[in-house]
Structures are given as structure tokens and as C-alpha cells.
Amino acid sequence: MTRRPLAAILIAATATLALAACASGSGDTGSSDSGSADGYVTEGKFTVGTGEPAYYPWVIDDAPESGEGFESAVAYAVAEQLGFAADDVVWVRSTFDQAIAPGPKDFDVNLQQFSITPERAENVDFSSPYYETTQVVITVEGSPAASATSIADLKDLLIGAQTGTTSFDAIEEQIAPTAGAQVFNTNDDAKLALQNGTVDAIVVDLPTAFYLTGVELDGGKIVGQLPATSGGDEFGLVLAKDSPLTADVTAAVDALREDGTLDELATTWLGGDAAPLLG
């Protein structure tokens, strides 16, 4: 490979910097550091990332621009808090791993049920949490658990969960079934046991409950949420590491929590009759 003279390299670099200095705000939309002067990827737009595809009930029909689905609705609510009109929200797609990997981002925020963890926070910023999961009992049609409306109704049934999870702890602490909590290595093992009738019900977090009963289980049914479950995962909006927008986005999420908007959206898209509270 031919080496360029140092002088030529310096001249080229100087020319590049001069061109950059003359640029008028359009910037490289691949990085939050090279976007608009106020820190957004594109000036005058709020760019939101989500999965490909994005799943129910977080996004309805894989169409986040509709504003339907919990995370889609949250994104538009945050945008409004930040002063953006709905027409100024731009959606992009990324994988889960791409969004939380270190490096430049082509979005201002990303929502894909990202649990806030110290490990991930080394690579990206998080807003304050917009949702905390709860633990949910699910079953299938025809199971003895299908008609349960209270924790007492579950006491004499076989209830299982993946070992080492908050779901397993919730069975032992809140349901305390007569036969003890049934142990499985993975959620897939627990799901198979439920489908085969080896157990009457299993406990998973609410997002997993919606997915399993809506997509994977034949005749899947949500029995109900366990009350006051501690240790749920907190979901936050992902931003580029040290993003200048993190404080403003967090303030927007906090305002939506304080005025009850987040609870209202959770009830609309994640709660209601689909996940009644077990007493």
C-alpha cells in the first residue's frame, strides 16, 4: 500500500475540517454527536427507534407511527412533552443488541423493553423508567387454573416458573402452593410443561405473559397479576452514551409519571381486563 506524505494528509484533514465548519446543521444522522446543534439526530425532528418487527402489545400491527401500543404511545407522549408535534416524530428500526451497543446512534431514543442495568449503562444512557414489570399467572384453556380469580384458587394447583427468577420467588412468597413451586430451567421448559398439562399454570413477567398467551401458547390465557410484586424490571428509553438529550428526556418521562399519563397508557395497552389483579 502506498503511503501518503504527511503534508498531504494534513492538507486533506484541514480541508475536511473547513467543510465541516461551513456545514449548516444537517449533520450525519448516524450519530447523536453530529446531528443538530441542540443534540437531536435531525433538527426539528424527534427520531425514535424500535424493533424490527415490533411486537404486540408494545406496538400494534408493527406500525409504531400509528401511536397504538404501549411503547408507541409513550414515545408520542414523550415527544409532546419535549415540544414536538406528532408529525415531527420519525421512526427508525434497529435490533435489540444494536440499540444498546456502544457507539453512534441513528436515533434520539429507542424503546424495546430495555431493562435498566448497570452493565448496559456503561455503553448507553437510560431515561428514568417509564414502566416496571409485574408478575403474572398464565395458563391455557381447559386447565384447572383457567377459572381462578384469586390466589386462594391457585393454592392446590401445580404452579411453575423458571428457577432463579423473580417469577419463581413470587410463587413461593405470594402463592405458596401446597405442592411447592415447580422448577424449570427455562421459560421454554415451563411453557412446554404448561401446554402438555404437566403444570396447571406458570408465572412470568407481564411482557412475557402477553407474548406467550398471544403468540406461542395454544389457548393461552392470562389468569391475573400478582399484587405488590417486588423486583420487577424497570424499562427505560435508551439514548447514546452521554447524550445531551438524556436530562430532558428523563424530565419528560418524570412529568408523564407524575401527571398519571404513564399509568393511563399502561392501563389502556397493558392492563384492564387482560391482566386483572389477583387478590
Side-chain angles (χ1 to χ4, degrees), residues 85-247:
D87 289 344
D88 292 327
V89 176
V90 177
W91 290 91
V92 296
R93 304 295 187 127
S94 74
T95 68
F96 189 97
D97 289 339
Q98 286 171 342
I100 57 175
K105 307 300 179 188
D106 65 351
F107 53 77
D108 297 317
V109 301
N110 200 306
L111 299 86
Q112 294 185 54
Q113 307 102 65
F114 295 106
S115 297
I116 301 171
T117 68
E119 295 77 16
R120 291 173 179 171
E122 293 178 0
N123 298 327
V124 295
D125 282 359
F126 285 99
S127 71
S128 58
Y130 60 89
Y131 181 69
E132 182 174 355
T133 63
T134 57
Q135 299 301 319
V136 178
V137 181
I138 67 172
T139 190
V140 291
E141 294 176 0
S143 164
S147 59
T149 58
S150 69
I151 291 176
D153 293 337
L154 300 171
K155 290 284 187 181
D156 294 329
L157 303 182
L158 296 176
I159 315 293
Q162 179 179 335
T163 185
T165 63
T166 53
S167 301
F168 188 85
D169 294 340
I171 296 175
E172 293 189 314
E173 295 169 5
Q174 295 202 46
I175 301 176
T178 303
Q182 306 299 299
V183 183
F184 297 96
N185 290 328
T186 66
N187 272 338
D188 282 340
D189 291 341
K191 177 191 70 177
L192 182 61
L194 176 59
Q195 194 75 77
N196 292 340
T198 305
V199 293
D200 301 313
I202 62 175
V203 174
V204 292
D205 63 45
L206 182 61
T208 303
F210 274 113
Y211 182 74
L212 291 181
T213 57
V215 178
E216 295 200 347
L217 286 168
D218 183 18
K221 177 183 178 181
I222 291 178
V223 177
Q225 299 182 58
L226 295 173
T229 306
S230 61
D233 290 339
E234 292 183 327
F235 294 166
L237 282 74
V238 165
L239 301 93
K241 187 65 177 176
D242 299 324
S243 168
L245 306 178
T246 301

Side-chain angles (χ1 to χ4, degrees), residues 24-75:
S24 57
S26 58
D28 176 7
T29 59
S31 169
S32 62
D33 294 333
S34 58
S36 64
D38 54 5
Y40 291 94
V41 167
T42 301
E43 186 173 358
K45 301 293 181 181
F46 186 52
T47 305
V48 183
T50 191
E52 179 68 88
Y55 292 106
Y56 168 94
W58 311 103
V59 174
I60 304 302
D61 295 331
D62 193 26
E65 65 278 1
S66 70
E68 296 187 343
F70 179 63
E71 289 189 332
S72 179
V74 167

